[in-house]
Amino acid sequence: MTAKGNRPITDMDTLKALAHPLRMKLYRALYVARTATASQLADQVDEAVSLVSYHLRKLAERGLIEEAEPQSGDGRERWWQPASEGLMIRDKDFRDAPEKAAAHLSATRLFHEQRTDMYRRYLDERPTWGPEWNSAAPDNESLLRLTPAELAELGEELLALAKKYDEKGRAAEAAGDTEGRENVALHVYGFPFRV
Protein backbone atom coordinates (compact mmCIF):
# COMPACT_ATOMS: atom_id res chain seq x y z
CA MET A 1 0.00 0.00 0.00
CA THR A 2 1.37 3.36 -0.94
CA ALA A 3 -0.41 5.57 1.59
CA LYS A 4 -0.10 5.11 5.34
CA GLY A 5 -3.06 5.68 7.60
CA ASN A 6 -6.68 6.17 6.67
CA ARG A 7 -7.47 8.10 3.53
CA PRO A 8 -10.07 10.79 4.09
CA ILE A 9 -12.81 10.88 1.45
CA THR A 10 -13.96 14.45 1.09
CA ASP A 11 -15.30 14.73 -2.48
CA MET A 12 -18.60 13.61 -3.96
CA ASP A 13 -17.12 11.69 -6.91
CA THR A 14 -15.02 9.44 -4.68
CA LEU A 15 -17.90 8.96 -2.25
CA LYS A 16 -20.22 7.99 -5.12
CA ALA A 17 -17.62 5.61 -6.54
CA LEU A 18 -17.42 3.79 -3.22
CA ALA A 19 -21.15 4.00 -2.40
CA HIS A 20 -22.08 1.35 -4.95
CA PRO A 21 -23.14 -1.95 -3.37
CA LEU A 22 -20.81 -4.15 -5.43
CA ARG A 23 -17.87 -1.75 -5.22
CA MET A 24 -18.10 -1.58 -1.44
CA LYS A 25 -18.21 -5.39 -1.26
CA LEU A 26 -15.18 -5.56 -3.55
CA TYR A 27 -13.29 -2.96 -1.53
CA ARG A 28 -14.03 -4.82 1.71
CA ALA A 29 -13.03 -8.20 0.19
CA LEU A 30 -9.82 -6.70 -1.20
CA TYR A 31 -9.04 -5.06 2.14
CA VAL A 32 -9.36 -8.43 3.88
CA ALA A 33 -7.34 -10.29 1.22
CA ARG A 34 -4.76 -7.46 1.02
CA THR A 35 -4.04 -8.43 -2.62
CA ALA A 36 -6.28 -10.21 -5.12
CA THR A 37 -7.16 -10.54 -8.78
CA ALA A 38 -10.52 -9.74 -10.32
CA SER A 39 -11.07 -13.47 -10.77
CA GLN A 40 -10.47 -14.19 -7.07
CA LEU A 41 -12.77 -11.37 -6.02
CA ALA A 42 -15.45 -12.44 -8.53
CA ASP A 43 -15.56 -15.84 -6.80
CA GLN A 44 -16.08 -14.14 -3.44
CA VAL A 45 -18.91 -11.86 -4.56
CA ASP A 46 -20.45 -14.34 -7.04
CA GLU A 47 -20.27 -11.99 -10.03
CA ALA A 48 -18.79 -12.18 -13.53
CA VAL A 49 -15.07 -11.42 -13.77
CA SER A 50 -15.73 -8.79 -16.45
CA LEU A 51 -18.16 -6.92 -14.17
CA VAL A 52 -15.75 -7.14 -11.23
CA SER A 53 -12.88 -5.87 -13.41
CA TYR A 54 -15.00 -2.89 -14.48
CA HIS A 55 -15.81 -1.95 -10.90
CA LEU A 56 -12.22 -2.43 -9.75
CA ARG A 57 -11.11 0.00 -12.45
CA LYS A 58 -13.70 2.52 -11.18
CA LEU A 59 -12.30 2.21 -7.65
CA ALA A 60 -8.77 2.63 -9.02
CA GLU A 61 -9.77 5.75 -10.99
CA ARG A 62 -10.68 7.39 -7.66
CA GLY A 63 -7.46 6.24 -5.99
CA LEU A 64 -9.20 3.86 -3.58
CA ILE A 65 -7.29 0.82 -4.83
CA GLU A 66 -4.14 0.40 -6.90
CA GLU A 67 -2.27 -2.23 -8.83
CA ALA A 68 -0.19 -4.54 -6.67
CA GLU A 69 2.96 -6.50 -7.41
CA PRO A 70 2.10 -9.74 -9.23
CA GLN A 71 1.73 -12.64 -6.82
CA SER A 72 2.17 -15.32 -9.49
CA GLY A 73 4.13 -15.93 -12.67
CA ASP A 74 1.06 -15.41 -14.87
CA GLY A 75 1.73 -12.06 -16.52
CA ARG A 76 -1.89 -11.83 -17.69
CA GLU A 77 -3.17 -11.53 -14.13
CA ARG A 78 -3.68 -8.04 -12.76
CA TRP A 79 -3.31 -7.86 -9.00
CA TRP A 80 -4.96 -5.17 -6.87
CA GLN A 81 -4.54 -3.84 -3.34
CA PRO A 82 -6.10 -1.07 -1.24
CA ALA A 83 -4.31 2.26 -1.77
CA SER A 84 -4.35 3.08 1.97
CA GLU A 85 -4.68 1.38 5.34
CA GLY A 86 -8.35 2.34 5.43
CA LEU A 87 -10.90 4.98 4.58
CA MET A 88 -12.35 7.80 6.65
CA ILE A 89 -15.68 9.37 5.69
CA ARG A 90 -16.80 12.15 8.01
CA ASP A 91 -20.12 13.94 8.15
CA LYS A 92 -18.42 17.35 8.46
CA ASP A 93 -16.96 17.00 4.95
CA PHE A 94 -20.42 16.67 3.35
CA ARG A 95 -22.76 18.94 5.29
CA ASP A 96 -22.12 22.22 3.42
CA ALA A 97 -24.69 21.50 0.67
CA PRO A 98 -27.97 19.53 0.64
CA GLU A 99 -26.90 17.25 -2.24
CA LYS A 100 -23.64 16.43 -0.43
CA ALA A 101 -25.48 15.66 2.81
CA ALA A 102 -27.95 13.44 0.92
CA ALA A 103 -25.12 11.55 -0.83
CA HIS A 104 -23.32 11.06 2.49
CA LEU A 105 -26.51 9.78 4.15
CA SER A 106 -27.19 7.39 1.28
CA ALA A 107 -23.62 6.04 1.39
CA THR A 108 -23.75 5.67 5.17
CA ARG A 109 -27.00 3.71 4.94
CA LEU A 110 -25.44 1.37 2.35
CA PHE A 111 -22.34 0.77 4.51
CA HIS A 112 -24.50 0.03 7.57
CA GLU A 113 -26.82 -2.29 5.62
CA GLN A 114 -23.83 -4.29 4.41
CA ARG A 115 -22.42 -4.46 7.94
CA THR A 116 -25.79 -5.65 9.22
CA ASP A 117 -25.83 -8.31 6.49
CA MET A 118 -22.38 -9.46 7.61
CA TYR A 119 -23.57 -9.80 11.20
CA ARG A 120 -26.76 -11.61 10.17
CA ARG A 121 -24.66 -14.07 8.19
CA TYR A 122 -22.51 -14.69 11.26
CA LEU A 123 -25.65 -15.31 13.34
CA ASP A 124 -26.96 -17.75 10.73
CA GLU A 125 -23.59 -19.54 10.63
CA ARG A 126 -22.98 -19.31 14.38
CA PRO A 127 -23.28 -23.07 15.03
CA THR A 128 -20.45 -23.74 12.55
CA TRP A 129 -18.03 -21.48 14.45
CA GLY A 130 -18.04 -23.53 17.62
CA PRO A 131 -18.19 -22.53 21.28
CA GLU A 132 -14.74 -20.91 21.48
CA TRP A 133 -15.52 -18.32 18.77
CA ASN A 134 -19.10 -17.82 19.95
CA SER A 135 -17.95 -17.16 23.52
CA ALA A 136 -15.25 -14.77 22.32
CA ALA A 137 -17.54 -12.71 20.05
CA PRO A 138 -18.77 -9.65 21.98
CA ASP A 139 -22.39 -8.58 21.73
CA ASN A 140 -22.83 -5.54 23.96
CA GLU A 141 -24.94 -2.46 24.27
CA SER A 142 -23.97 0.49 26.45
CA LEU A 143 -26.34 3.39 27.05
CA LEU A 144 -24.24 6.35 28.16
CA ARG A 145 -24.75 10.01 29.09
CA LEU A 146 -22.08 11.98 27.18
CA THR A 147 -21.35 15.30 25.54
CA PRO A 148 -20.41 15.44 21.85
CA ALA A 149 -16.76 15.95 22.87
CA GLU A 150 -16.84 12.90 25.15
CA LEU A 151 -18.44 10.76 22.44
CA ALA A 152 -15.76 11.88 19.97
CA GLU A 153 -13.04 11.05 22.51
CA LEU A 154 -14.58 7.63 23.14
CA GLY A 155 -14.68 6.95 19.39
CA GLU A 156 -11.01 7.89 19.01
CA GLU A 157 -10.01 5.63 21.91
CA LEU A 158 -12.01 2.69 20.52
CA LEU A 159 -10.44 3.19 17.09
CA ALA A 160 -6.96 3.29 18.61
CA LEU A 161 -7.67 0.10 20.55
CA ALA A 162 -8.94 -1.68 17.42
CA LYS A 163 -5.85 -0.52 15.52
CA LYS A 164 -3.61 -1.89 18.30
CA TYR A 165 -5.22 -5.32 17.99
CA ASP A 166 -5.11 -5.19 14.18
CA GLU A 167 -1.37 -4.46 14.26
CA LYS A 168 -0.83 -7.18 16.87
CA GLY A 169 -2.69 -9.75 14.75
CA ARG A 170 -0.96 -8.78 11.52
CA ALA A 171 2.48 -8.93 13.18
CA ALA A 172 1.74 -12.36 14.65
CA GLU A 173 0.50 -13.59 11.28
CA ALA A 174 3.59 -12.22 9.51
CA ALA A 175 5.71 -14.15 12.05
CA GLY A 176 3.90 -17.36 11.09
CA ASP A 177 1.36 -17.47 13.93
CA THR A 178 -1.71 -18.34 11.85
CA GLU A 179 -3.22 -21.12 13.99
CA GLY A 180 -6.81 -20.26 14.91
CA ARG A 181 -6.59 -16.80 13.32
CA GLU A 182 -9.70 -15.65 11.41
CA ASN A 183 -10.99 -12.42 9.91
CA VAL A 184 -12.95 -10.51 12.57
CA ALA A 185 -15.36 -7.64 11.93
CA LEU A 186 -15.73 -5.13 14.74
CA HIS A 187 -18.59 -2.69 14.19
CA VAL A 188 -18.91 0.14 16.70
CA TYR A 189 -21.68 2.72 16.51
CA GLY A 190 -22.13 5.62 18.87
CA PHE A 191 -25.04 7.99 18.37
CA PRO A 192 -27.32 10.24 20.37
CA PHE A 193 -30.94 9.23 20.99
CA ARG A 194 -33.93 10.44 22.94
CA VAL A 195 -36.60 8.37 24.68
Side-chain angles (χ1 to χ4, degrees):
M1 292 177 218
T2 55
K4 293 292 181 200
N6 289 332
R7 175 188 170 194
I9 294 178
T10 58
D11 66 283
M12 288 279 287
D13 290 336
T14 304
L15 180 66
K16 286 179 180 178
L18 187 63
H20 180 283
L22 180 55
R23 288 185 199 148
M24 189 59 219
K25 283 183 182 178
L26 291 170
Y27 180 84
R28 187 177 284 117
L30 185 58
Y31 185 84
V32 170
R34 298 186 190 136
T35 59
T37 65
S39 178
Q40 292 168 336
L41 293 169
D43 288 344
Q44 289 185 40
V45 297
D46 196 28
E47 293 288 350
V49 174
S50 58
L51 181 63
V52 168
S53 292
Y54 168 80
H55 285 294
L56 289 173
R57 287 192 305 274
K58 291 296 179 187
L59 291 170
E61 285 173 13
R62 301 308 311 167
L64 298 166
I65 67 171
E66 62 191 11
E67 283 195 56
E69 290 293 320
Q71 306 293 309
S72 71
D74 187 349
R76 296 171 296 157
E77 289 183 325
R78 192 173 191 184
W79 288 81
W80 296 97
Q81 66 185 11
S84 63
E85 290 179 6
L87 303 174
M88 182 173 36
I89 306 169
R90 298 174 302 207
D91 170 73
K92 72 176 190 166
D93 295 320
F94 294 95
R95 70 170 83 119
D96 61 334
E99 65 276 5
K100 287 174 136 185
H104 179 258
L105 179 60
S106 177
T108 301
R109 286 185 189 278
L110 168 70
F111 304 152
H112 287 271
E113 286 168 11
Q114 288 187 347
R115 291 175 192 156
T116 300
D117 288 344
M118 288 175 70
Y119 188 63
R120 282 189 182 123
R121 192 170 101 201
Y122 160 71
L123 291 175
D124 291 344
E125 297 172 353
R126 198 176 208 166
T128 67
W129 283 103
E132 188 175 63
W133 274 107
N134 287 309
S135 295
D139 184 355
N140 305 313
E141 180 179 14
S142 298
L143 303 175
L144 314 171
R145 294 282 295 167
L146 304 173
T147 65
E150 290 166 340
L151 179 57
E153 182 181 351
L154 174 60
E156 289 171 14
E157 287 183 25
L158 290 171
L159 187 60
L161 184 61
K163 184 175 179 157
K164 171 188 159 187
Y165 275 88
D166 182 42
E167 290 169 353
K168 180 180 179 180
R170 289 180 189 267
E173 190 171 48
D177 178 9
T178 58
E179 184 69 30
R181 198 167 296 284
E182 298 283 352
N183 296 315
V184 172
L186 178 65
H187 300 158
V188 178
Y189 308 109
F191 52 91
F193 70 96
R194 293 187 177 114
V195 289

